[in-house]
Structures are given as structure tokens and as C-alpha cells.
Amino acid sequence: MGRIEATGVNIPPSGQLLLSPSILWPCGNEMQQLPQAVQLIEKASMMYLENGTPDTAAMALERAGKLIENVNPEKAVQLYQQTANVFENEERLRQAVELLGKASRLLVRGRRFDEAALSIQKEKNIYKEIENYPTCYKKTIAQVLVHLHRNDYVAAERCVRESYSIPGFNGSEDCAALEQLLEGYDQQDQDQVSEVCNSPLFKYMDNDYAKLGLTLVVPGGGIKKKAAATPEAKPEGTTAPAAEEEDEYAGGLC
């Protein structure tokens, strides 16, 4: 039986899970040792993978992510992504996308929007692969909100345009709401944007995405773009100036 000396915890080469609850779920003063505990679990997961037990490796990594999530969200994101990779390599896409979703929400919570946009796109690709199209629609909403918080209207519009190829998206309430949202954002119409983001479709999303909607502010401070100016009416009794003064020498010199 192998031993990691820094912690005194035995890890069997056979890959059996012998990590104690005190290591996986520390409390009290042990909370200060969280980084060490997570490092141990990561090492254990590598051993499980080497010994052909990916399920146990994934379970260990996910537990480590839950363990560290409130203390070190960045590390938790990494652990959830590692777990997703393990499941994806085993072609267990539903489990993989669930872990990617946890990573995406943490990235949004930490306002790491560039990374969140990439993570959500990966989720969307997997949902499309497993033909869960309604969830693809929801992920498109999440993508658009993230891109708008990045002040990237072009990327947000492209997300919607590319989603027209997803069966059933065009004509769905999700599509209509996003088109209305983008129109309001482009026109700097805060009232229209707020109306969309306060609709049940947006408010009942995962909490992190619902908050993005509720805090979305259009550029320009909500001052609508002005319509094209129309020519002013001329007072009665006035005539339009001649387009061109007649040249008294137009006929040439005599």
C-alpha cells in the first residue's frame, strides 16, 4: 500500500477509494489545510486513472471541487474541468456537461467572462451532440448575456445567428426574446432590455445568469439613439432660395 508522507494518508495502488471523510470533508482547524487536502485528492485521482478506474478518479476530483469551491473558486473551476475531461474521455457526455456547467457558473460568478463564454460554448456543443436542443437554447441566452457584459455586441449577435441552425430555435420564445434583447441593446433602449431580462424566461434561469440579466445596462447610459432628423417645415410665405444664382455673363461677352 502506497503512502503520501506529507499527509500520512494511505493510497492503495489498486485504486480503491480509501480517502477518509476527514480528508474529503475537513472542518474546523482542518479547513486551513484545504489546499493540502485538494492536492492529495488530485494525486489520488491520477493514481485511479493509471489503475483504470476513471469513475473513482472523477468522483475524487468532483469532491475536491466541492470542497474548495467557496474558498478558492478558481481552483474549483480547474477541478470541475478536469472531471469533465475524464467523463468526456469515457464518452459519458451527460456527466461531462454537468461538470462543465458548474465551471461555467463559477466563471460567471467571478466575472471571468472571456473564459465563461468559451466554457458555455463547449457546454452548448455537447448538448447539441446529444440532441438536447431546448437546453442549447438556454445556453444561447447565457452566452448572449455573457457577451453583452463583455460589451461585445457583435459576438452576442453571432451567437444568435449561429443558433438558427439548431433545430427548433428559430421561432422559439428563446429566439424571439434574444432578438428583442439585442434590438433594445443596439438601440440603447434600457426599458426594452429590462423588460426582456425581467421576463420569466430570463428570471428563472440559473441564478448566476439571471443576475447577469438583471444587472445588464445598455451602452450610453440608456439614452436611446435618435431617429434620423427630418427636414424642418418652412414658415409660410417664404420661398426656397434658388439652387444657383443666374450668371449674368452666362451668354458670354458681347
Side-chain angles (χ1 to χ4, degrees), residues 137 140-141 160 163-164 168-182 201:
Y137 311 162
T140 302
I141 293 177
V160 175
S163 294
Y164 289 142
F169 178 74
N170 193 10
S172 67
E173 64 172 339
D174 306 77
C175 179
L178 285 172
E179 288 173 345
Q180 187 180 359
L181 173 65
L182 289 175
L201 185 64

Side-chain angles (χ1 to χ4, degrees), residues 23-251:
I23 293 296
L24 289 175
W25 306 105
C27 57
N29 294 332
E30 293 175 352
M31 292 295 288
Q32 299 174 0
Q33 299 177 353
L34 272 176
Q36 184 182 9
V38 168
Q39 186 179 23
L40 169 65
I41 297 172
E42 285 187 280
K43 288 181 179 180
S45 70
M46 290 300 297
M47 296 176 69
Y48 298 140
L49 285 173
E50 290 169 3
N51 283 276
T53 53
D55 284 356
T56 306
M59 182 177 68
L61 288 170
E62 184 178 3
R63 286 186 177 183
K66 291 178 180 178
L67 188 67
I68 202 77
E69 185 174 310
N70 293 327
V71 178
N72 188 344
E74 291 186 8
K75 183 63 178 178
V77 166
Q78 179 188 337
L79 290 164
Y80 289 146
Q81 290 172 336
Q82 284 180 264
T83 311
N85 287 337
V86 172
F87 282 130
E88 195 169 1
N89 289 336
E90 295 298 309
E91 298 184 352
R92 296 173 59 182
L93 297 184
R94 296 182 189 279
Q95 289 90 338
V97 78
E98 181 182 344
L99 271 297
L100 282 174
K102 291 184 178 183
S104 298
R105 290 190 292 275
L106 280 179
L107 289 168
V108 167
R109 205 173 303 165
R111 304 192 71 79
R112 295 161 61 185
F113 293 135
D114 289 351
E115 296 169 81
L118 294 174
S119 183
I120 295 169
Q121 181 62 50
K122 189 166 185 181
E123 284 185 75
K124 188 173 169 182
N125 291 342
I126 293 178
Y127 279 119
K128 190 173 181 180
E129 185 174 347
I130 63 178
E131 300 183 353
N132 186 340
Y133 299 129
T135 303
C136 288
Y137 311 162
K138 305 306 177 191
K139 294 303 172 182
T140 302
I141 293 177
Q143 276 184 304
V144 168
L145 290 171
V146 166
H147 284 311
L148 293 181
H149 271 271
R150 295 174 60 238
N151 299 315
D152 193 341
Y153 175 85
V154 173
E157 186 181 38
R158 184 171 61 247
C159 281
V160 175
R161 190 169 60 248
E162 291 175 349
S163 294
Y164 289 142
S165 64
I166 300 173
F169 178 74
N170 193 10
S172 67
E173 64 172 339
D174 306 77
C175 179
L178 285 172
E179 288 173 345
Q180 187 180 359
L181 173 65
L182 289 175
E183 179 187 56
Y185 191 89
D186 184 47
Q187 294 298 319
Q188 298 177 4
D189 187 340
Q190 185 65 53
D191 290 340
Q192 182 169 325
V193 167
S194 297
E195 181 181 352
V196 175
C197 291
N198 277 282
S199 67
L201 185 64
F202 281 66
K203 286 178 70 175
Y204 297 127
M205 294 180 69
D206 287 324
N207 195 43
D208 293 296
Y209 299 122
K211 285 181 179 178
L212 287 186
L214 295 174
T215 58
L216 183 60
V217 178
V218 300
I223 300 174
K224 297 181 183 179
K225 289 183 179 178
K226 294 181 179 179
T230 56
E232 292 183 4
K234 297 181 179 60
E236 292 184 10
T238 62
T239 58
E244 193 177 309
E245 289 289 339
E246 184 180 353
D247 187 349
E248 60 181 308
Y249 298 110

